[in-house]
Amino acid sequence: MHSVTAYAPKRWGKIFLALGAVASLLLSLRVAAEFYRQDIYPKHPSPGELLLFVAVFSVFPFMTVAFAWMTGTYRRSRSDDIRWIAERNALLERERENEIRLASDAERMRIAREMHDIIAHSMSVIITQADGGRYAAARSPEAAVSALETIADTGREALGNLRGILGVLRESESGRKTAPMPAINDLGTLADNVRSAGLDVTLNVSPDLPKLSPAAELAVYRVVQEALTNTLKHGGRDSHADVTVQAGDKALVAQIVSTGHGEESAVPGSGSGIQGMRERARVHNGTLTAEPTDTGFFVQLTIPEDIS
């Protein structure tokens, strides 16, 4: 009874319990019949006395059967609990590994986007300035010197941003302070750098912008940077970009309207810039519109304000 209840399927434990009850009843009836046959009673028992005798003599065998059934049930319950705990621990371990892998993938994607924006923008400015400085070196040494200064400043800024991104990957330097990531207040510096590279930029940032998290402000900065970099690479000569950052309906709206159509870019691109901008908008529950116009290109980023 104990082994069947503990290790066999549950229905077999119930079947054997019913069989044990029937066997206990039959045993008591067999004892009563034997007592009656040997004339142990001085007289024939009444039906009530016979039922009492059968009940008393069936208690002990049934209690034995019931005790074996209960111990088997307890054993099965313990085994089920141990197996359930082991399966749950294994499931939690798999979920933890999946979360770590997803977090790692997301972090790699974030770092890839940041490095793409930094390197693409910086290299575009550097190459443009290098080409301009090469042509101006013979006729205007002052312009060549200015181009070299812009190249040096852009390279230092890119190097600092890269160190800030990669510094978080070094556990031994986790306590080391890194430069803060760009935000909306740094758009003026970005516009100046792009102007120095030869692109005419008009920047208009409203003073009453909605509240955004630092990550969302970084997304706004990177989208504007990517749009200006694309204009610098593909806009051609006499291109122009108007950047407007203003408050919308419980959201921040950034628009970049550029003019100019270059036939061929001096800086080849990977084609993932617009996709990266859309991913940044999606991460912060925002929307992004990027489409060509008759005179150039139009980009609009909308990010809801932070109400937490």
Side-chain angles (χ1 to χ4, degrees):
M1 174 64 67
H2 173 85
S3 299
V4 169
T5 307
Y7 304 109
K10 289 185 178 181
R11 60 188 182 92
W12 285 106
K14 296 178 180 179
I15 293 174
F16 270 60
L17 178 62
L19 292 177
V22 173
S24 300
L25 180 61
L26 293 177
L27 178 61
S28 62
L29 290 175
R30 177 68 179 83
V31 172
E34 185 65 21
F35 281 9
Y36 179 77
R37 186 180 65 82
Q38 297 181 7
D39 293 332
I40 296 178
Y41 297 114
K43 61 179 181 179
H44 296 291
S46 63
E49 291 176 340
L50 181 60
L51 289 176
L52 178 61
F53 181 85
V54 171
V56 170
F57 273 86
S58 63
V59 168
F60 178 75
F62 182 74
M63 288 182 60
T64 304
V65 172
F67 179 77
W69 180 82
M70 287 187 295
T71 57
T73 302
Y74 176 77
R75 176 69 178 181
R76 170 183 289 277
S77 177
R78 289 284 298 173
S79 300
D80 291 344
D81 291 342
I82 293 174
R83 184 171 56 255
W84 179 81
I85 293 174
E87 292 176 353
R88 180 173 177 79
N89 289 339
L91 178 61
L92 292 176
E93 184 66 21
R94 289 194 298 270
E95 290 180 353
R96 187 178 70 87
E97 292 176 355
N98 291 335
E99 291 176 356
I100 293 175
R101 185 171 61 254
L102 291 176
S104 178
D105 292 342
E107 185 66 12
R108 283 198 296 269
M109 290 297 298
R110 185 187 71 83
I111 293 175
R113 285 195 299 266
E114 294 295 330
M115 294 186 67
H116 170 272
D117 294 340
I118 293 171
I119 295 175
H121 170 73
S122 302
M123 291 299 101
S124 298
V125 173
I126 289 174
I127 293 174
T128 303
Q129 287 294 309
D131 290 339
R134 181 178 58 186
Y135 291 119
R139 299 182 180 180
S140 177
E142 295 81 4
V145 171
S146 177
L148 292 175
E149 290 177 351
T150 302
I151 290 174
D153 294 339
T154 303
R156 292 190 190 96
E157 180 184 1
L159 182 60
N161 289 333
L162 289 176
R163 284 176 176 172
I165 294 174
L166 300 178
V168 299
L169 301 179
R170 303 188 182 99
E171 295 182 359
S172 59
E173 298 180 2
S174 58
R176 180 181 176 181
K177 293 183 179 180
T178 57
M181 297 305 294
I184 295 178
N185 294 333
D186 299 307
L187 289 176
T189 304
L190 173 64
D192 293 337
N193 292 338
V194 176
R195 289 191 193 101
S196 65
L199 176 64
D200 185 19
V201 178
T202 301
L203 176 64
N204 183 15
V205 180
S206 301
D208 54 345
L209 295 177
K211 179 183 178 182
L212 295 182
S213 64
E217 289 201 14
L218 175 61
V220 175
Y221 180 92
R222 293 305 188 197
V223 167
V224 174
Q225 183 185 52
E226 179 67 22
L228 294 179
T229 301
N230 290 337
T231 303
L232 184 63
K233 292 193 300 184
H234 307 290
R237 299 180 59 184
D238 300 328
S239 59
H240 176 78
D242 289 322
V243 180
T244 304
V245 181
Q246 59 187 358
D249 184 13
K250 295 182 179 181
L252 181 142
V253 180
Q255 288 185 352
I256 305 94
V257 181
S258 61
T259 61
H261 293 281
E263 295 181 357
E264 183 178 358
S265 173
V267 184
S270 63
S272 61
I274 296 178
Q275 180 63 28
M277 290 192 289
R278 288 198 174 96
E279 290 178 358
R280 288 184 183 276
R282 186 166 55 249
V283 166
H284 300 285
N285 298 321
T287 58
L288 183 122
T289 302
E291 56 190 9
T293 62
D294 294 337
T295 58
F297 209 81
F298 173 78
V299 175
Q300 176 174 299
L301 171 67
T302 304
I303 294 183
E305 64 178 324
D306 187 4
I307 59 176
S308 59

